[in-house]
Amino acid sequence: TQLLEQSPQFLSIQEGENLTVYCNSSSVFSSLQWYRQEPGEGPVLLVTVVTGGEVKKLKRLTFQFGDARKDSSLHITAAQPGDTGLYLCAGATGGFKTIFGAGTRLFVKA
Amino acid sequence: GAVVSQHPSWVICKSGTSVKIECRSLDFQATTMFWYRQFPKQSLMLMATSNEGSKATYEQGVEKDKFLINHASLTLSTLTVTSAHPEDSSFYICSAMGTRGYTFGSGTRLTVV
């Protein structure tokens, strides 16, 4: 069974703090996506990483794909209340199947 | 581009009735769509993979006779929850493969009373 372990599951921080979310697996993924989901809505794609060692930046968000394509991290700099939400990582196997992490519920206090 | 429309966004039905949820790719063709179920404060659980023109592939533990999937065209997949019971109450989300990755519908909150 392929698993994608995501941590932490819950994070409550003050505005301005930095944070990192991790996704780890023993499986190799052809690509990995990060999503953000608001309550009552579907996940919205933030980024897709494909190449081992790849680093992508999206404003205050930095995404990294491990060299072996088994793990990934999302780092948020100077978090803002608007960053509050559920962050999901999802790894794509060779076929169409995507495995989701358990999610990280982030709450940023003003 | 790559917009997926899901309808309805919420539905309340009586126990024993059936409910149909539609998932449409608006500006692209999707030969494959996916149906997920999400419980409160939990991640997405893949229920089935919907393939245009053929039978859906169900994940282990998902009853294919209860969750009927039809993917009759390249832009539409439907999920019908048959003989719904309160334990079927959940948030159901579809997704399709777009050019930049998977695009998700906005979800359907099903409440069975």
Side-chain angles (χ1 to χ4, degrees):
Chain A
T1 303
Q2 295 172 312
L3 292 173
L4 189 53
E5 296 182 351
Q6 186 171 345
S7 63
Q9 291 190 20
F10 181 79
L11 196 56
S12 180
I13 61 174
Q14 288 291 140
E15 181 177 5
E17 293 183 359
N18 303 330
L19 67 117
T20 303
V21 179
Y22 300 93
C23 274
N24 297 287
S25 176
S26 58
S27 302
V28 176
F29 297 108
S30 56
S31 67
L32 191 141
Q33 292 83 39
W34 284 92
Y35 296 86
R36 180 164 168 260
Q37 184 180 21
E38 300 281 357
E41 297 180 11
V44 175
L45 178 68
L46 295 175
V47 78
T48 298
V49 286
V50 179
T51 307
E54 183 176 4
V55 177
K56 281 191 174 179
K57 291 191 175 183
L58 187 65
K59 295 183 180 179
R60 293 177 293 101
L61 278 61
T62 302
F63 304 87
Q64 196 161 10
F65 201 15
D67 292 339
R69 306 206 314 275
K70 295 182 179 180
D71 56 89
S72 181
S73 64
L74 157 61
H75 182 79
I76 300 179
T77 304
Q80 299 176 1
D83 295 328
T84 294
L86 177 67
Y87 290 83
L88 296 161
C89 61
T93 61
F96 277 121
K97 189 167 289 189
T98 294
I99 302 169
F100 279 86
T104 295
R105 190 162 296 279
L106 172 65
F107 181 65
V108 182
K109 294 175 283 187
Chain B
V3 177
V4 173
S5 174
Q6 188 172 340
H7 179 81
S9 56
W10 62 271
V11 58
I12 301 173
C13 70
K14 290 185 177 180
S15 185
T17 62
S18 295
V19 174
K20 180 184 285 188
I21 303 170
E22 293 187 347
C23 182
R24 295 180 184 272
S25 56
L26 297 185
D27 49 1
F28 66 103
Q29 294 182 333
T31 55
T32 302
M33 291 186 177
F34 305 89
W35 287 96
Y36 297 86
R37 185 173 179 177
Q38 186 176 34
F39 291 103
K41 299 183 180 181
Q42 294 187 23
S43 188
L44 283 69
M45 291 181 56
L46 179 65
M47 297 175 64
T49 302
S50 170
N51 303 295
E52 186 269 334
S54 65
K55 292 182 179 180
T57 303
Y58 290 82
E59 294 300 299
Q60 192 173 10
V62 178
E63 299 176 59
K64 62 180 182 180
D65 294 329
K66 180 168 187 61
F67 299 98
L68 300 179
I69 291 174
N70 185 283
H71 195 156
S73 77
L74 288 172
T75 59
L76 174 63
S77 176
T78 61
L79 168 67
T80 301
V81 183
T82 62
S83 187
H85 290 285
E87 57 264 31
D88 297 325
S89 297
S90 191
F91 192 55
Y92 293 87
I93 309 175
C94 68
S95 76
M97 179 62 128
T99 56
R100 295 173 57 232
Y102 294 95
T103 300
F104 286 83
S106 54
T108 297
R109 180 158 302 284
L110 169 64
T111 302
V112 184
V113 298

